[in-house]
Amino acid sequence: MNREVDLRYLFRPRATAVIGASAHPDKIGYKLLHNIRASGYAGRIYPINPKVKEIDGLPCHASLAEVDDHEIDLVSIVIPAKGVYDAVRECAEKKTPFASIITSGFSEVGNLAEEQRIVALAREHGVRILGPNIFGIYSAAAPINATFGPPDVKAGNVAIITQSGALGIAMIGKTKIENIGLSAIVSVGNKSDLDEADLLQYLVADDATKVILMYIEGVKDGDRLVEILHRATRVKPVVVIKSGRSKRGAMAAASHTGSLAGADEIFSDVMRQCGVNRAETIQEALDWCKFLSCSPAPHGENAVIVTNGGGIGVLAADACEKFQVNLYDDTETLKEIFRPVTPEFGSTKNPVDITGQAQAKEYEAALEASFATEAIDAVICLGCETATIDVDLLEQSLLRVHARHGDKKPIVLSFFGGEKTEAGIGRLRTAGLPIYADVYQAVSCLGAAYVHYRNLKNAMATPAPVDPPVIDLPAINAVVERVRNDGRTFLLAHEAQEVARAAGLLMPKSGVARNLDEAVRLAESIGYPVVMKVVSKDIIHKSDAGGVALDLEDRAEVLDAYEAIMHNCRIHAPRARIEGVEVGEMVKKGTETIIGARRDASFGPVIMFGLGGIYVEVMKDISFRAWPIDRGEAMAMIKEIRSYPLLLGVRGEERKDIDGVIDTILRVGALLAGCPAVSDIEVNPLVVYDQGHGVKAVDMRILLYPPKGASHA
Ligand code: COA
């Protein structure tokens, strides 16, 4: 669904008003008005306050209705909560397109009803609401600073969308110190109407914005955000910081899948799926934004490390692995390029070690060579302060190289040392060089640039044909309907099998026998060995009831097992209604995996993959994706788990049937997405055989949403 809103006049209002503008300098209504005036805003400004005639020489109106201007595009509301509804009514009557409600005291303190009443009124009259509970909006395009934050925002090309007000205000100050210019900063607060996805859509198309930073606490309309983020990251880099890591308990604990991971793991994986750079700290996010806003993009994957110390070079190589920066490894070419500037006891392999005796001129020569070599796409320049190096000369060399080449290829720098080095870093940063005291900090910036580089590359690649699996939804829904009519929210094994078959999953052969003869006939048609399990909705834990028999080799064993199962279950649960005994193929050993799917509170249908047993339960080695995905994305989620090499085959084992896993992932996803009554699905285990020998969904659990007002049965 494309719900694009025209936000042009929010970012470039022709005229603006402040309801609750005050002459008292300590009030928010004063500060906000002052900021608008101080920002160089060229449009008309109307303070609204019935008790005051003028504020700092600007005439005041008693109400919006009194203002004779039909181009008031943005009204900031800074009056106590109880008056906000009427203020929005004034906006509606004036046909104002945007109201920025600074006021707190709505859904964030439990007053949801009043917030909804205001939004309903606004919607009815075409007024779009920013907030409530926000610090406002700054837009360099107008320019307008309709916030009560610092008056002096540095204009530039980074846009910030923030859910936290206080942090947002602090970011205005911090970005200035970090020399990061802003094209906009918008506070979304309670997101009663406009949310981050709406703003993102505008900012992606805004030529003045090169990088977008989002601070998110909670996601409301996740599937829409995913769709917009997907498109946004293919145009410009998006950096996200997310706090408020949800409690694990918030997840539907109903199924095993639900208990595996909290919402935060899902958030991280979904952000990666969207091509977003998720930062762990605010500092990291600001470092990335600054670098992405100033640096040229890489044109290829090959980075080179130039260092005067082996240790720091190794640290950088580690960081490259963590942030997925690829080190150029054509040793012959590296030798050719760097031999002339590297002493015999140095190394021309990457990291290129020009050794501790390197002076400024060796650094300059090595960097010049890196920039001149077409095969090198990015440069990581490192150094440890030595007793012999002339820091001042080095500083001048680095400045010269950056001035000559800094706009051609990305370069990050990290130097480590005492006072002189630290002071040098400070000066070079002020001069605009991406230089950091910590190697990881430097490499992480390059990693962020590579995420964007790969997003652009993917966007240009011809999309693989989308070939959604065909599943028999009417047959599946018929089973679901039967279960519902039976008053249950879980499917019995044979019902889940029926669903699995209709979804095209590869299952072990099986059937339900109602008597001894049928059991033998079934076993013979399936082929020995077989397994047998009691079928009864009154017996959930079948093994405990003695209702399971494995590895039955022949007719006689089937007959004995049938009698034994019936006998055990009657003793264990005398009142249980027993429908029969399921006879199934004894599944051969293979690699056990798990596929789960459920509706996430934030992102809608989400699919999970992991290797079975300890990999999932102890190591939490799983990956998530928001639905829908294609085969390529299913492959990416399989590759993402740490135990992926086990599927490739280790210690002489064959590669496993990964295509079969992909197929199952897509079918399980289509099943969940196609059946709104289903809340959770878990295929556990999906046994994967060697390539070409397929997979088998041995067990499948399906849960339904309880009828309204009830909990899971
Ligand atoms: N139309 C025009 N002016 C009005 C009005 C109306 N309907 N109702 C009140 N006013 C005037 C008041 O008379 C007052 O003017 P004055 O200073 O000349 O007396 C001014 O508007 C402000 O009202 P006041 O009652 O003094 O409120 P306040 O300034 O103490 O607080 C808020 C108002 C919005 C700041 C406060 O309610 C609030 O929500 N604070 C939290 C804001 C916040 O933190 N937001 C999130 C940030 S991230």
Side-chain angles (χ1 to χ4, degrees), residues 18-24 26-29 48-52 55 61-63 77-84 86-87 90 101-106 132-136 148 163-166 169 187 189:
V18 180
I19 299 183
S22 171
H24 298 284
D26 53 343
K27 288 204 183 176
I28 288 183
I48 312 291
N49 185 329
K51 295 195 295 195
V52 190
I55 299 171
H61 290 80
S63 72
I77 299 177
V78 248
I79 57 171
K82 61 180 184 323
V84 171
D86 287 337
E90 283 190 56
I101 306 177
I102 308 292
T103 313
S104 303
F106 296 96
N133 188 29
I134 57 173
F135 65 76
F148 65 89
Q163 201 172 346
S164 160
I169 293 174
S187 167

Side-chain angles (χ1 to χ4, degrees), residues 314-392:
V314 175
L315 277 177
D318 287 347
C320 285
E321 193 171 304
K322 175 171 163 134
F323 295 103
Q324 290 175 13
V325 174
N326 182 55
L327 289 178
Y328 183 49
D329 59 3
D330 179 342
T331 44
E332 279 313 305
T333 313
L334 283 164
K335 199 164 165 186
E336 223 171 89
I337 307 164
F338 293 106
R339 189 76 283 163
V341 293
T342 311
E344 275 310 316
F345 52 91
S347 167
T348 61
K349 292 201 186 100
N350 200 358
V352 176
D353 185 356
I354 56 175
T355 80
Q357 73 176 33
Q359 291 296 330
K361 69 175 179 356
E362 279 79 26
Y363 261 106
E364 194 164 337
L367 294 177
E368 282 290 342
S370 309
F371 278 106
T373 306
E374 211 170 307
I376 293 174
D377 304 299
V379 183
I380 300 165
C381 175
L382 312 173
C384 288
E385 191 178 312
T386 62
T388 54
I389 198 158
D390 185 326
V391 174
D392 296 334

